[in-house]
Amino acid sequence: MNKIIQEIKKSVLSALWLMILTFPIMVIKVNSYEGVVLWRWKNLMWIGIGTFFLSWLWRFLLDRKENGPGESKPDADRDGKFSLRKALGERKVKIPTLAVLAILVLAFPFMVKFYQVGIMTSALMFVILGLGLNIVIGYGGLLHLGYAAFYAMGAYTYGLMYLYWGLPFWAALPLGAVSGAVFGIVIGVPVLRLRGDYLAIVTLAFGEISRLLLENMSGFTKGPEGIAQIPRPGFFVKLSLQGATTYLFYICIVLVLFAIFVIRRLEDSRIGRALEAMKEDDIAAQSMGIDLAKTKLITFALGAVWAGMVGVVLAAKTTYINPGSFTLMESVMILVAVVLGGTGSIPGVILGAFLVTLIPEYFRALADYRMLMFGVALVVMSIFRPQGIIPRVRKRYLVGEDKS
Amino acid sequence: MLKLDNIKTYYGNIQALKGISLEVKKGEIICLIGANGAGKSTTLMSISGIEPPRSGSIFLEGIDITGMPAHQIVTMGLSQVPEGRRIFPQLSVLENLDMGAYLRRDKEEQKRDLEYVFDLFPILSQRRNQSGGTLSGGEQQMLAISRALMAKPRILLMDEPSLGLAPIIVQQIFGIITRINKEQGTTIFLVEQNANQALKIADRGYVLQNGMIVKSDTSSALMADEEVKNAYLGV
């Protein structure tokens, strides 16, 4: 009984707090035309009631998280239960699943409206961006907030090279990757000694500086007006808009597969081990003989390569680029995709990227509130599932009898 | 083996080491004792290249390693057990050890060395698949020592291996340090606050005070010294 009274007290307090906080925007409305103030007391009531119950629910969930609905079971005990991850790991299930998925993906452009193909291509581009940023953040443990600069680098590589030399898409794609990597190293050098928050701030600044440079070097980059009429890739002959979009969709699929392949190889490699050590403890990593400077630069370069390639694809897809497409917001959205999905986890990042791009696309009505939604999602996630929707499962090699 | 000549190290404007000279001969156990803030850890970090000295020079087997990056010094056969252990918490015990052998490519010999550290610390063998972060303090220290050994160093630097450990574990660890020195012929340079224990196993010792070496002698002489007794041994 005492506990219930306490709970009610807490909820009433949070309700009161939010009522006061939102009073100016939710209650007062000035009708400047008639010169009167509308007092919308009803809103206040709803906020009060809503907060009262939601805060109760919130605390209930928190409590459940802390104490669990009974015993929380360690991973080893889950053997008996059905686990999706485990089922997918078995050959019998894995191969048919992959086959169905492959057919679905290949047939996708012919099953849906042309408009959907465009959206899906954008989502796939975001997937690649997420996978790239994931190398820097998930594996290297370096918080990078200026990732859009690498993206811009790729897009402008194609844009400018087409503008000045008439370079085609297929020549620009590898060049975009190279220029992304080079830019990654160039940015990496001055931030070698930084870590954590300082690194985040400096990379953020670099991202903005790059954008401002693109905006202000009007003679060279055409400034804010951007570069227009960049050609879409042709398939031996010039493709129609529809054909080119479908073609880009397949290119993106190949790039996604390529990225997944490279990242998985990376995880098992010597560099992967060095990254792991650097993320865990950089001083100890140094004492193991790991060259921190080199490893950090490799991380930046490996992350930037993907952004560079996606940048080229973006330029080809929209046929128009300007610095406005590479703002801090873009970097933040990629970061949200990575963190939401699961830092360091490939399926997680893919899911995160799809969520971040497709939800605002298909729920147009909510588009205005999307920042609010992502904010809420991140707060909720960081409390209830900080490791992401699909957390990373680190491969471990086990030796000896106790293969727990 | 290792020679420091008038090392001066700064943190910003603060001078931590005011000209340190010392020498470690091959096969010796040398300990550096001193109070909190005397500059013991800084000395180690200067040697291993993590906090390079502003002036003076460091020679490892006759080669000048002053200002060399830390990862390169490791390749020259110097390995260190850093202060506060600094094991990789998310990696398993085995992966931690594997990371210690990062620079080596001789798989067969690595296996033999792995057997050796498991022989030194059987508990690690039992916990080989457990995450490093879930080990107890003493086990983590054992892991840190083992990890450093996996690099097959000719000289091993240890920063306060007894820090925060139960007396019985401290004794065990010091016993093992002597064993490593005897069996592997590894030269050991030990930094300790626990002067009593450290001097018992060391051949010679240096006393560090406010960034300067104030005394150096054989262990038995230091243990008999009145000043050292009063200040560091607490007898």
Side-chain angles (χ1 to χ4, degrees), chain A residues 113-260:
Chain A
K113 282 205 195 96
F114 162 62
Y115 169 70
Q116 306 290 340
V117 181
I119 291 175
M120 199 45 88
T121 311
S122 304
L124 286 173
M125 283 162 55
F126 224 76
V127 167
I128 306 168
L129 288 173
L131 288 172
L133 185 62
N134 188 35
I135 298 178
V136 183
I137 293 180
Y139 298 132
L142 308 166
L143 185 50
H144 193 310
L145 291 182
Y147 196 63
F150 300 154
Y151 187 24
M153 203 61 200
Y156 269 87
T157 301
Y158 184 27
L160 291 174
M161 288 198 174
Y162 170 73
L163 190 69
Y164 292 114
W165 301 321
L167 220 66
F169 173 80
W170 284 110
L173 193 62
L175 281 175
V178 171
S179 73
V182 170
F183 193 55
I185 291 172
V186 169
I187 282 192
V189 171
V191 301
L192 274 180
R193 297 178 63 91
L194 304 175
R195 59 183 115 155
D197 322 356
Y198 304 103
L199 179 72
I201 290 170
V202 174
T203 50
L204 186 151
F206 267 114
E208 285 303 281
I209 290 169
S210 327
R211 186 178 60 81
L212 288 172
L213 266 181
L214 289 176
E215 223 156 65
N216 291 301
M217 284 165 60
S218 329
F220 179 54
T221 63
K222 293 203 151 192
E225 77 187 72
I227 303 170
Q229 288 180 321
I230 303 168
R232 297 189 178 84
F235 192 64
F236 299 113
V237 290
K238 201 169 180 301
L239 292 171
S240 64
L241 174 64
Q242 207 154 340
T245 307
T246 312
Y247 190 36
L248 275 171
F249 171 80
Y250 287 126
I251 291 174
C252 280
I253 291 282
V254 171
L255 282 179
V256 169
L257 292 178
F258 183 44
I260 294 174

Side-chain angles (χ1 to χ4, degrees), chain B residues 86-98:
Chain B
R86 288 187 174 270
I87 53 152
F88 302 114
Q90 301 286 324
L91 303 190
S92 72
V93 167
L94 212 55
E95 284 168 326
N96 264 283
L97 293 173
D98 196 40

